[in-house]
Amino acid sequence: MTRLATDDVKSIPAELADYDSELTAKTGCSLRKVACQAADIQEDLIQQFLESVRFGVIPITTGKGAITGFCEAVAGINSHMGCKSFITQAADVAGLIEAFGKKADIIMLADDHRFIALHAASRQVVENAVATGKGFVTGLGLMAGDLNKKNVLVIGCGPVGRSASAKLAAMGARVSVYDINSTRCIDLSEATKQSSNVTIQVIKDLDQALKSHQLIIDASPAADIIQARHITPDTYICAPGVPVGLDHEARLKIGNRLLHDPLQIGVATMAISAFKFHIQHIGNT
């Protein structure tokens, strides 16, 4: 996962209402509804369990240390969707003990490399990167319409890009992928062909691909790779994470056809996905 900075997350809790209004204007759906669609669960089913499920968010200090404001942003996103959420006072293993002591049903924690939501009872894990890919593809579909048989370019074949590619393929999109490391593209294409018999096109010329694709998932950590000359009136871009890949002129030109945030959609989708595990577990016991 891309390591965020305090400046990326510190204002998220206070701005969630405005963020949700902007998201609804772009997609026609609230943050919770986008997450429910990405996780393939009905929103009214989630509402039935909101009062009974507790999320515990644990600060992790290993590696480069906890990011100031990160846990507050995660808990704030959960609470904004109506979930009961708390941050443990203790960090690391002591925080895990505290979360279980406070009867957390779902535990969220991140280090320098992984960000997960763990459903305690079923021992199911949701990876943020996987959830983020699904969430932003859902957002792209809501903004641009049905993605079935549409050409979609995915930039970056890391965990988010791989998740986005799989979600797009499942939705019937014609997927093309580009990565600065072409081997990653080839590996993804071959794996997808073997697992689902879906062909993913490997792109070697990013500039040409940007000119010929109007639907784009930017899952790359590279900045300023998408420029104003790549933007048409029919271009829609979903860009998870930071930094955003559009330069300043491209961002001005695309306007509200860009969906970008550092944390909100990914956290919401992983929380609702873990919530789904909880509901399934209750149904099986």
Side-chain angles (χ1 to χ4, degrees), residues 30-69:
S30 67
L31 179 60
R32 189 172 74 184
K33 192 163 187 175
V34 170
C36 286
Q37 289 199 26
D40 195 24
I41 188 168
Q42 294 296 318
E43 187 176 14
D44 57 358
L45 184 58
I46 291 292
Q47 290 176 308
Q48 296 177 31
F49 293 89
L50 282 175
E51 293 299 316
S52 62
V53 178
R54 288 170 59 81
F55 283 77
V57 183
I58 304 174
I60 300 297
T61 64
T62 58
K64 295 181 180 179
I67 299 167
T68 302

PDB file of all heavy atoms in Angstrom, residues 30-69:
ATOM      1  N   SER A  30     -24.226   7.490  -2.231  1.00  0.00           N
ATOM      2  CA  SER A  30     -23.444   7.872  -1.062  1.00  0.00           C
ATOM      3  C   SER A  30     -22.231   6.961  -0.929  1.00  0.00           C
ATOM      4  O   SER A  30     -22.123   5.920  -1.605  1.00  0.00           O
ATOM      5  CB  SER A  30     -24.298   7.759   0.197  1.00  0.00           C
ATOM      6  OG  SER A  30     -24.604   6.392   0.450  1.00  0.00           O
ATOM      7  N   LEU A  31     -21.331   7.323  -0.027  1.00  0.00           N
ATOM      8  CA  LEU A  31     -20.153   6.491   0.217  1.00  0.00           C
ATOM      9  C   LEU A  31     -20.558   5.094   0.650  1.00  0.00           C
ATOM     10  O   LEU A  31     -20.010   4.097   0.160  1.00  0.00           O
ATOM     11  CB  LEU A  31     -19.269   7.145   1.281  1.00  0.00           C
ATOM     12  CG  LEU A  31     -18.006   6.387   1.680  1.00  0.00           C
ATOM     13  CD1 LEU A  31     -17.083   6.187   0.485  1.00  0.00           C
ATOM     14  CD2 LEU A  31     -17.271   7.126   2.805  1.00  0.00           C
ATOM     15  N   ARG A  32     -21.510   4.989   1.557  1.00  0.00           N
ATOM     16  CA  ARG A  32     -21.927   3.667   2.020  1.00  0.00           C
ATOM     17  C   ARG A  32     -22.552   2.852   0.896  1.00  0.00           C
ATOM     18  O   ARG A  32     -22.314   1.649   0.778  1.00  0.00           O
ATOM     19  CB  ARG A  32     -22.907   3.798   3.192  1.00  0.00           C
ATOM     20  CG  ARG A  32     -23.202   2.453   3.863  1.00  0.00           C
ATOM     21  CD  ARG A  32     -24.014   2.625   5.126  1.00  0.00           C
ATOM     22  NE  ARG A  32     -25.404   2.955   4.849  1.00  0.00           N
ATOM     23  CZ  ARG A  32     -26.310   3.237   5.786  1.00  0.00           C
ATOM     24  NH1 ARG A  32     -25.941   3.256   7.055  1.00  0.00           N
ATOM     25  NH2 ARG A  32     -27.554   3.516   5.469  1.00  0.00           N
ATOM     26  N   LYS A  33     -23.320   3.507   0.048  1.00  0.00           N
ATOM     27  CA  LYS A  33     -23.960   2.778  -1.049  1.00  0.00           C
ATOM     28  C   LYS A  33     -22.934   2.319  -2.082  1.00  0.00           C
ATOM     29  O   LYS A  33     -23.032   1.204  -2.616  1.00  0.00           O
ATOM     30  CB  LYS A  33     -25.024   3.642  -1.713  1.00  0.00           C
ATOM     31  CG  LYS A  33     -25.924   2.861  -2.662  1.00  0.00           C
ATOM     32  CD  LYS A  33     -27.186   3.628  -2.984  1.00  0.00           C
ATOM     33  CE  LYS A  33     -28.153   2.757  -3.786  1.00  0.00           C
ATOM     34  NZ  LYS A  33     -29.435   3.446  -4.020  1.00  0.00           N
ATOM     35  N   VAL A  34     -21.942   3.155  -2.382  1.00  0.00           N
ATOM     36  CA  VAL A  34     -20.864   2.733  -3.277  1.00  0.00           C
ATOM     37  C   VAL A  34     -20.164   1.507  -2.701  1.00  0.00           C
ATOM     38  O   VAL A  34     -19.914   0.519  -3.406  1.00  0.00           O
ATOM     39  CB  VAL A  34     -19.847   3.871  -3.491  1.00  0.00           C
ATOM     40  CG1 VAL A  34     -18.604   3.355  -4.218  1.00  0.00           C
ATOM     41  CG2 VAL A  34     -20.472   5.020  -4.285  1.00  0.00           C
ATOM     42  N   ALA A  35     -19.867   1.545  -1.396  1.00  0.00           N
ATOM     43  CA  ALA A  35     -19.191   0.419  -0.742  1.00  0.00           C
ATOM     44  C   ALA A  35     -20.046  -0.836  -0.775  1.00  0.00           C
ATOM     45  O   ALA A  35     -19.533  -1.938  -0.994  1.00  0.00           O
ATOM     46  CB  ALA A  35     -18.834   0.791   0.688  1.00  0.00           C
ATOM     47  N   CYS A  36     -21.345  -0.687  -0.562  1.00  0.00           N
ATOM     48  CA  CYS A  36     -22.236  -1.848  -0.603  1.00  0.00           C
ATOM     49  C   CYS A  36     -22.274  -2.460  -2.000  1.00  0.00           C
ATOM     50  O   CYS A  36     -22.243  -3.687  -2.153  1.00  0.00           O
ATOM     51  CB  CYS A  36     -23.639  -1.452  -0.158  1.00  0.00           C
ATOM     52  SG  CYS A  36     -23.793  -1.168   1.624  1.00  0.00           S
ATOM     53  N   GLN A  37     -22.319  -1.614  -3.020  1.00  0.00           N
ATOM     54  CA  GLN A  37     -22.310  -2.141  -4.383  1.00  0.00           C
ATOM     55  C   GLN A  37     -20.988  -2.844  -4.682  1.00  0.00           C
ATOM     56  O   GLN A  37     -20.959  -3.908  -5.309  1.00  0.00           O
ATOM     57  CB  GLN A  37     -22.570  -1.021  -5.383  1.00  0.00           C
ATOM     58  CG  GLN A  37     -23.997  -0.498  -5.360  1.00  0.00           C
ATOM     59  CD  GLN A  37     -24.365   0.253  -6.621  1.00  0.00           C
ATOM     60  OE1 GLN A  37     -23.807   0.028  -7.696  1.00  0.00           O
ATOM     61  NE2 GLN A  37     -25.329   1.157  -6.513  1.00  0.00           N
ATOM     62  N   ALA A  38     -19.882  -2.256  -4.225  1.00  0.00           N
ATOM     63  CA  ALA A  38     -18.573  -2.865  -4.460  1.00  0.00           C
ATOM     64  C   ALA A  38     -18.456  -4.217  -3.758  1.00  0.00           C
ATOM     65  O   ALA A  38     -17.836  -5.152  -4.276  1.00  0.00           O
ATOM     66  CB  ALA A  38     -17.463  -1.932  -3.985  1.00  0.00           C
ATOM     67  N   ALA A  39     -19.047  -4.308  -2.569  1.00  0.00           N
ATOM     68  CA  ALA A  39     -18.991  -5.551  -1.787  1.00  0.00           C
ATOM     69  C   ALA A  39     -20.115  -6.513  -2.150  1.00  0.00           C
ATOM     70  O   ALA A  39     -20.193  -7.616  -1.586  1.00  0.00           O
ATOM     71  CB  ALA A  39     -19.062  -5.226  -0.296  1.00  0.00           C
ATOM     72  N   ASP A  40     -21.001  -6.083  -3.051  1.00  0.00           N
ATOM     73  CA  ASP A  40     -22.116  -6.921  -3.515  1.00  0.00           C
ATOM     74  C   ASP A  40     -23.036  -7.337  -2.369  1.00  0.00           C
ATOM     75  O   ASP A  40     -23.314  -8.517  -2.161  1.00  0.00           O
ATOM     76  CB  ASP A  40     -21.582  -8.155  -4.244  1.00  0.00           C
ATOM     77  CG  ASP A  40     -22.666  -8.873  -5.053  1.00  0.00           C
ATOM     78  OD1 ASP A  40     -23.657  -8.214  -5.424  1.00  0.00           O
ATOM     79  OD2 ASP A  40     -22.525 -10.085  -5.291  1.00  0.00           O
ATOM     80  N   ILE A  41     -23.515  -6.329  -1.628  1.00  0.00           N
ATOM     81  CA  ILE A  41     -24.473  -6.579  -0.565  1.00  0.00           C
ATOM     82  C   ILE A  41     -25.483  -5.441  -0.532  1.00  0.00           C
ATOM     83  O   ILE A  41     -25.148  -4.290  -0.823  1.00  0.00           O
ATOM     84  CB  ILE A  41     -23.768  -6.716   0.810  1.00  0.00           C
ATOM     85  CG1 ILE A  41     -24.770  -7.179   1.878  1.00  0.00           C
ATOM     86  CG2 ILE A  41     -23.051  -5.440   1.212  1.00  0.00           C
ATOM     87  CD1 ILE A  41     -24.116  -7.610   3.182  1.00  0.00           C
ATOM     88  N   GLN A  42     -26.717  -5.756  -0.218  1.00  0.00           N
ATOM     89  CA  GLN A  42     -27.778  -4.756  -0.189  1.00  0.00           C
ATOM     90  C   GLN A  42     -27.590  -3.817   1.002  1.00  0.00           C
ATOM     91  O   GLN A  42     -27.336  -4.262   2.120  1.00  0.00           O
ATOM     92  CB  GLN A  42     -29.146  -5.422  -0.114  1.00  0.00           C
ATOM     93  CG  GLN A  42     -29.518  -6.233  -1.346  1.00  0.00           C
ATOM     94  CD  GLN A  42     -29.642  -5.373  -2.592  1.00  0.00           C
ATOM     95  OE1 GLN A  42     -30.205  -4.273  -2.559  1.00  0.00           O
ATOM     96  NE2 GLN A  42     -29.103  -5.880  -3.695  1.00  0.00           N
ATOM     97  N   GLU A  43     -27.752  -2.526   0.765  1.00  0.00           N
ATOM     98  CA  GLU A  43     -27.553  -1.541   1.825  1.00  0.00           C
ATOM     99  C   GLU A  43     -28.569  -1.724   2.953  1.00  0.00           C
ATOM    100  O   GLU A  43     -28.230  -1.555   4.128  1.00  0.00           O
ATOM    101  CB  GLU A  43     -27.650  -0.125   1.263  1.00  0.00           C
ATOM    102  CG  GLU A  43     -27.278   0.952   2.266  1.00  0.00           C
ATOM    103  CD  GLU A  43     -27.292   2.336   1.661  1.00  0.00           C
ATOM    104  OE1 GLU A  43     -27.843   2.508   0.553  1.00  0.00           O
ATOM    105  OE2 GLU A  43     -26.757   3.271   2.308  1.00  0.00           O
ATOM    106  N   ASP A  44     -29.804  -2.090   2.621  1.00  0.00           N
ATOM    107  CA  ASP A  44     -30.807  -2.247   3.681  1.00  0.00           C
ATOM    108  C   ASP A  44     -30.473  -3.419   4.600  1.00  0.00           C
ATOM    109  O   ASP A  44     -30.828  -3.418   5.786  1.00  0.00           O
ATOM    110  CB  ASP A  44     -32.215  -2.400   3.107  1.00  0.00           C
ATOM    111  CG  ASP A  44     -32.353  -3.563   2.131  1.00  0.00           C
ATOM    112  OD1 ASP A  44     -31.353  -4.245   1.858  1.00  0.00           O
ATOM    113  OD2 ASP A  44     -33.472  -3.780   1.636  1.00  0.00           O
ATOM    114  N   LEU A  45     -29.742  -4.412   4.089  1.00  0.00           N
ATOM    115  CA  LEU A  45     -29.316  -5.525   4.935  1.00  0.00           C
ATOM    116  C   LEU A  45     -28.257  -5.061   5.929  1.00  0.00           C
ATOM    117  O   LEU A  45     -28.271  -5.464   7.101  1.00  0.00           O
ATOM    118  CB  LEU A  45     -28.777  -6.656   4.067  1.00  0.00           C
ATOM    119  CG  LEU A  45     -28.363  -7.948   4.779  1.00  0.00           C
ATOM    120  CD1 LEU A  45     -29.539  -8.530   5.561  1.00  0.00           C
ATOM    121  CD2 LEU A  45     -27.846  -8.966   3.775  1.00  0.00           C
ATOM    122  N   ILE A  46     -27.352  -4.207   5.483  1.00  0.00           N
ATOM    123  CA  ILE A  46     -26.346  -3.641   6.368  1.00  0.00           C
ATOM    124  C   ILE A  46     -27.003  -2.852   7.497  1.00  0.00           C
ATOM    125  O   ILE A  46     -26.613  -2.954   8.674  1.00  0.00           O
ATOM    126  CB  ILE A  46     -25.389  -2.722   5.578  1.00  0.00           C
ATOM    127  CG1 ILE A  46     -24.520  -3.537   4.621  1.00  0.00           C
ATOM    128  CG2 ILE A  46     -24.521  -1.883   6.510  1.00  0.00           C
ATOM    129  CD1 ILE A  46     -23.514  -4.432   5.295  1.00  0.00           C
ATOM    130  N   GLN A  47     -28.008  -2.076   7.153  1.00  0.00           N
ATOM    131  CA  GLN A  47     -28.665  -1.217   8.142  1.00  0.00           C
ATOM    132  C   GLN A  47     -29.267  -2.020   9.294  1.00  0.00           C
ATOM    133  O   GLN A  47     -29.342  -1.536  10.424  1.00  0.00           O
ATOM    134  CB  GLN A  47     -29.746  -0.373   7.469  1.00  0.00           C
ATOM    135  CG  GLN A  47     -29.177   0.701   6.547  1.00  0.00           C
ATOM    136  CD  GLN A  47     -30.257   1.461   5.807  1.00  0.00           C
ATOM    137  OE1 GLN A  47     -31.123   0.881   5.176  1.00  0.00           O
ATOM    138  NE2 GLN A  47     -30.201   2.779   5.889  1.00  0.00           N
ATOM    139  N   GLN A  48     -29.687  -3.240   9.034  1.00  0.00           N
ATOM    140  CA  GLN A  48     -30.292  -4.067  10.074  1.00  0.00           C
ATOM    141  C   GLN A  48     -29.311  -4.436  11.187  1.00  0.00           C
ATOM    142  O   GLN A  48     -29.710  -4.731  12.301  1.00  0.00           O
ATOM    143  CB  GLN A  48     -30.844  -5.357   9.451  1.00  0.00           C
ATOM    144  CG  GLN A  48     -31.970  -5.167   8.456  1.00  0.00           C
ATOM    145  CD  GLN A  48     -32.408  -6.481   7.839  1.00  0.00           C
ATOM    146  OE1 GLN A  48     -32.333  -7.543   8.469  1.00  0.00           O
ATOM    147  NE2 GLN A  48     -32.838  -6.443   6.589  1.00  0.00           N
ATOM    148  N   PHE A  49     -27.999  -4.403  10.867  1.00  0.00           N
ATOM    149  CA  PHE A  49     -26.992  -4.878  11.824  1.00  0.00           C
ATOM    150  C   PHE A  49     -26.101  -3.766  12.367  1.00  0.00           C
ATOM    151  O   PHE A  49     -25.190  -4.035  13.151  1.00  0.00           O
ATOM    152  CB  PHE A  49     -26.116  -5.947  11.155  1.00  0.00           C
ATOM    153  CG  PHE A  49     -26.845  -7.219  10.827  1.00  0.00           C
ATOM    154  CD1 PHE A  49     -27.486  -7.359   9.606  1.00  0.00           C
ATOM    155  CD2 PHE A  49     -26.905  -8.262  11.739  1.00  0.00           C
ATOM    156  CE1 PHE A  49     -28.158  -8.536   9.291  1.00  0.00           C
ATOM    157  CE2 PHE A  49     -27.575  -9.435  11.432  1.00  0.00           C
ATOM    158  CZ  PHE A  49     -28.211  -9.580  10.213  1.00  0.00           C
ATOM    159  N   LEU A  50     -26.346  -2.527  11.947  1.00  0.00           N
ATOM    160  CA  LEU A  50     -25.450  -1.440  12.323  1.00  0.00           C
ATOM    161  C   LEU A  50     -25.292  -1.280  13.826  1.00  0.00           C
ATOM    162  O   LEU A  50     -24.211  -0.967  14.328  1.00  0.00           O
ATOM    163  CB  LEU A  50     -25.947  -0.111  11.719  1.00  0.00           C
ATOM    164  CG  LEU A  50     -25.640   0.100  10.238  1.00  0.00           C
ATOM    165  CD1 LEU A  50     -26.292   1.387   9.750  1.00  0.00           C
ATOM    166  CD2 LEU A  50     -24.139   0.155   9.993  1.00  0.00           C
ATOM    167  N   GLU A  51     -26.367  -1.481  14.567  1.00  0.00           N
ATOM    168  CA  GLU A  51     -26.322  -1.235  16.005  1.00  0.00           C
ATOM    169  C   GLU A  51     -25.603  -2.332  16.784  1.00  0.00           C
ATOM    170  O   GLU A  51     -25.257  -2.138  17.945  1.00  0.00           O
ATOM    171  CB  GLU A  51     -27.751  -1.085  16.542  1.00  0.00           C
ATOM    172  CG  GLU A  51     -28.478   0.151  16.036  1.00  0.00           C
ATOM    173  CD  GLU A  51     -27.773   1.433  16.438  1.00  0.00           C
ATOM    174  OE1 GLU A  51     -27.346   1.538  17.605  1.00  0.00           O
ATOM    175  OE2 GLU A  51     -27.628   2.326  15.586  1.00  0.00           O
ATOM    176  N   SER A  52     -25.362  -3.469  16.144  1.00  0.00           N
ATOM    177  CA  SER A  52     -24.838  -4.616  16.889  1.00  0.00           C
ATOM    178  C   SER A  52     -23.380  -4.940  16.596  1.00  0.00           C
ATOM    179  O   SER A  52     -22.793  -5.798  17.247  1.00  0.00           O
ATOM    180  CB  SER A  52     -25.689  -5.860  16.588  1.00  0.00           C
ATOM    181  OG  SER A  52     -25.630  -6.189  15.207  1.00  0.00           O
ATOM    182  N   VAL A  53     -22.774  -4.262  15.624  1.00  0.00           N
ATOM    183  CA  VAL A  53     -21.411  -4.592  15.208  1.00  0.00           C
ATOM    184  C   VAL A  53     -20.451  -3.485  15.627  1.00  0.00           C
ATOM    185  O   VAL A  53     -20.710  -2.308  15.397  1.00  0.00           O
ATOM    186  CB  VAL A  53     -21.337  -4.821  13.683  1.00  0.00           C
ATOM    187  CG1 VAL A  53     -19.909  -5.114  13.253  1.00  0.00           C
ATOM    188  CG2 VAL A  53     -22.259  -5.964  13.269  1.00  0.00           C
ATOM    189  N   ARG A  54     -19.335  -3.872  16.231  1.00  0.00           N
ATOM    190  CA  ARG A  54     -18.334  -2.907  16.711  1.00  0.00           C
ATOM    191  C   ARG A  54     -17.026  -3.067  15.936  1.00  0.00           C
ATOM    192  O   ARG A  54     -16.518  -4.174  15.774  1.00  0.00           O
ATOM    193  CB  ARG A  54     -18.069  -3.107  18.206  1.00  0.00           C
ATOM    194  CG  ARG A  54     -19.225  -2.651  19.077  1.00  0.00           C
ATOM    195  CD  ARG A  54     -19.040  -3.078  20.530  1.00  0.00           C
ATOM    196  NE  ARG A  54     -17.826  -2.574  21.150  1.00  0.00           N
ATOM    197  CZ  ARG A  54     -17.695  -1.335  21.650  1.00  0.00           C
ATOM    198  NH1 ARG A  54     -18.706  -0.491  21.588  1.00  0.00           N
ATOM    199  NH2 ARG A  54     -16.563  -0.958  22.225  1.00  0.00           N
ATOM    200  N   PHE A  55     -16.504  -1.935  15.474  1.00  0.00           N
ATOM    201  CA  PHE A  55     -15.219  -1.885  14.780  1.00  0.00           C
ATOM    202  C   PHE A  55     -14.164  -1.345  15.735  1.00  0.00           C
ATOM    203  O   PHE A  55     -14.346  -0.282  16.340  1.00  0.00           O
ATOM    204  CB  PHE A  55     -15.293  -0.949  13.568  1.00  0.00           C
ATOM    205  CG  PHE A  55     -15.995  -1.520  12.371  1.00  0.00           C
ATOM    206  CD1 PHE A  55     -17.377  -1.583  12.326  1.00  0.00           C
ATOM    207  CD2 PHE A  55     -15.276  -1.979  11.280  1.00  0.00           C
ATOM    208  CE1 PHE A  55     -18.036  -2.086  11.218  1.00  0.00           C
ATOM    209  CE2 PHE A  55     -15.917  -2.496  10.163  1.00  0.00           C
ATOM    210  CZ  PHE A  55     -17.303  -2.549  10.140  1.00  0.00           C
ATOM    211  N   GLY A  56     -13.063  -2.053  15.865  1.00  0.00           N
ATOM    212  CA  GLY A  56     -11.928  -1.568  16.635  1.00  0.00           C
ATOM    213  C   GLY A  56     -10.773  -1.232  15.706  1.00  0.00           C
ATOM    214  O   GLY A  56     -10.377  -2.051  14.875  1.00  0.00           O
ATOM    215  N   VAL A  57     -10.252  -0.013  15.818  1.00  0.00           N
ATOM    216  CA  VAL A  57      -9.132   0.431  14.986  1.00  0.00           C
ATOM    217  C   VAL A  57      -7.892   0.510  15.865  1.00  0.00           C
ATOM    218  O   VAL A  57      -7.895   1.193  16.899  1.00  0.00           O
ATOM    219  CB  VAL A  57      -9.427   1.798  14.345  1.00  0.00           C
ATOM    220  CG1 VAL A  57      -8.286   2.208  13.422  1.00  0.00           C
ATOM    221  CG2 VAL A  57     -10.750   1.759  13.572  1.00  0.00           C
ATOM    222  N   ILE A  58      -6.826  -0.194  15.466  1.00  0.00           N
ATOM    223  CA  ILE A  58      -5.632  -0.318  16.307  1.00  0.00           C
ATOM    224  C   ILE A  58      -4.459   0.449  15.702  1.00  0.00           C
ATOM    225  O   ILE A  58      -4.068   0.196  14.563  1.00  0.00           O
ATOM    226  CB  ILE A  58      -5.245  -1.800  16.471  1.00  0.00           C
ATOM    227  CG1 ILE A  58      -6.409  -2.610  17.033  1.00  0.00           C
ATOM    228  CG2 ILE A  58      -4.019  -1.926  17.367  1.00  0.00           C
ATOM    229  CD1 ILE A  58      -6.135  -4.103  17.092  1.00  0.00           C
ATOM    230  N   PRO A  59      -3.856   1.364  16.437  1.00  0.00           N
ATOM    231  CA  PRO A  59      -2.623   2.010  15.962  1.00  0.00           C
ATOM    232  C   PRO A  59      -1.473   0.995  15.943  1.00  0.00           C
ATOM    233  O   PRO A  59      -1.317   0.202  16.872  1.00  0.00           O
ATOM    234  CB  PRO A  59      -2.358   3.100  17.004  1.00  0.00           C
ATOM    235  CG  PRO A  59      -3.641   3.247  17.770  1.00  0.00           C
ATOM    236  CD  PRO A  59      -4.302   1.906  17.740  1.00  0.00           C
ATOM    237  N   ILE A  60      -0.691   1.033  14.883  1.00  0.00           N
ATOM    238  CA  ILE A  60       0.467   0.154  14.758  1.00  0.00           C
ATOM    239  C   ILE A  60       1.728   1.016  14.634  1.00  0.00           C
ATOM    240  O   ILE A  60       1.796   1.908  13.792  1.00  0.00           O
ATOM    241  CB  ILE A  60       0.343  -0.766  13.531  1.00  0.00           C
ATOM    242  CG1 ILE A  60      -0.907  -1.645  13.650  1.00  0.00           C
ATOM    243  CG2 ILE A  60       1.592  -1.632  13.372  1.00  0.00           C
ATOM    244  CD1 ILE A  60      -0.907  -2.608  14.822  1.00  0.00           C
ATOM    245  N   THR A  61       2.705   0.752  15.491  1.00  0.00           N
ATOM    246  CA  THR A  61       3.888   1.614  15.554  1.00  0.00           C
ATOM    247  C   THR A  61       5.135   0.988  14.944  1.00  0.00           C
ATOM    248  O   THR A  61       6.196   1.614  14.950  1.00  0.00           O
ATOM    249  CB  THR A  61       4.199   1.993  17.015  1.00  0.00           C
ATOM    250  OG1 THR A  61       4.534   0.798  17.747  1.00  0.00           O
ATOM    251  CG2 THR A  61       3.007   2.662  17.674  1.00  0.00           C
ATOM    252  N   THR A  62       5.050  -0.234  14.437  1.00  0.00           N
ATOM    253  CA  THR A  62       6.223  -0.878  13.852  1.00  0.00           C
ATOM    254  C   THR A  62       6.621  -0.186  12.544  1.00  0.00           C
ATOM    255  O   THR A  62       5.856   0.590  11.974  1.00  0.00           O
ATOM    256  CB  THR A  62       5.953  -2.360  13.572  1.00  0.00           C
ATOM    257  OG1 THR A  62       4.821  -2.466  12.692  1.00  0.00           O
ATOM    258  CG2 THR A  62       5.655  -3.111  14.848  1.00  0.00           C
ATOM    259  N   GLY A  63       7.801  -0.486  12.045  1.00  0.00           N
ATOM    260  CA  GLY A  63       8.259   0.101  10.794  1.00  0.00           C
ATOM    261  C   GLY A  63       8.474   1.598  10.941  1.00  0.00           C
ATOM    262  O   GLY A  63       9.134   2.074  11.857  1.00  0.00           O
ATOM    263  N   LYS A  64       7.856   2.356  10.056  1.00  0.00           N
ATOM    264  CA  LYS A  64       7.995   3.816  10.075  1.00  0.00           C
ATOM    265  C   LYS A  64       7.079   4.481  11.096  1.00  0.00           C
ATOM    266  O   LYS A  64       7.097   5.698  11.239  1.00  0.00           O
ATOM    267  CB  LYS A  64       7.735   4.383   8.681  1.00  0.00           C
ATOM    268  CG  LYS A  64       8.768   3.945   7.650  1.00  0.00           C
ATOM    269  CD  LYS A  64       8.494   4.559   6.287  1.00  0.00           C
ATOM    270  CE  LYS A  64       9.532   4.122   5.268  1.00  0.00           C
ATOM    271  NZ  LYS A  64       9.260   4.700   3.923  1.00  0.00           N
ATOM    272  N   GLY A  65       6.259   3.678  11.780  1.00  0.00           N
ATOM    273  CA  GLY A  65       5.433   4.228  12.845  1.00  0.00           C
ATOM    274  C   GLY A  65       4.036   4.604  12.400  1.00  0.00           C
ATOM    275  O   GLY A  65       3.718   4.647  11.215  1.00  0.00           O
ATOM    276  N   ALA A  66       3.187   4.883  13.382  1.00  0.00           N
ATOM    277  CA  ALA A  66       1.799   5.251  13.111  1.00  0.00           C
ATOM    278  C   ALA A  66       1.752   6.632  12.459  1.00  0.00           C
ATOM    279  O   ALA A  66       2.502   7.538  12.824  1.00  0.00           O
ATOM    280  CB  ALA A  66       0.993   5.251  14.404  1.00  0.00           C
ATOM    281  N   ILE A  67       0.851   6.784  11.491  1.00  0.00           N
ATOM    282  CA  ILE A  67       0.643   8.070  10.818  1.00  0.00           C
ATOM    283  C   ILE A  67      -0.356   8.872  11.641  1.00  0.00           C
ATOM    284  O   ILE A  67      -1.482   8.410  11.889  1.00  0.00           O
ATOM    285  CB  ILE A  67       0.108   7.855   9.400  1.00  0.00           C
ATOM    286  CG1 ILE A  67       1.109   7.050   8.576  1.00  0.00           C
ATOM    287  CG2 ILE A  67      -0.196   9.196   8.732  1.00  0.00           C
ATOM    288  CD1 ILE A  67       0.553   6.526   7.269  1.00  0.00           C
ATOM    289  N   THR A  68       0.030  10.036  12.076  1.00  0.00           N
ATOM    290  CA  THR A  68      -0.856  10.881  12.870  1.00  0.00           C
ATOM    291  C   THR A  68      -2.135  11.167  12.091  1.00  0.00           C
ATOM    292  O   THR A  68      -2.093  11.637  10.952  1.00  0.00           O
ATOM    293  CB  THR A  68      -0.173  12.210  13.228  1.00  0.00           C
ATOM    294  OG1 THR A  68       1.030  11.933  13.951  1.00  0.00           O
ATOM    295  CG2 THR A  68      -1.079  13.083  14.075  1.00  0.00           C
ATOM    296  N   GLY A  69      -3.259  10.855  12.701  1.00  0.00           N
ATOM    297  CA  GLY A  69      -4.549  11.103  12.077  1.00  0.00           C
ATOM    298  C   GLY A  69      -5.103   9.943  11.280  1.00  0.00           C
ATOM    299  O   GLY A  69      -6.282   9.958  10.891  1.00  0.00           O
TER     300      GLY A  69
END
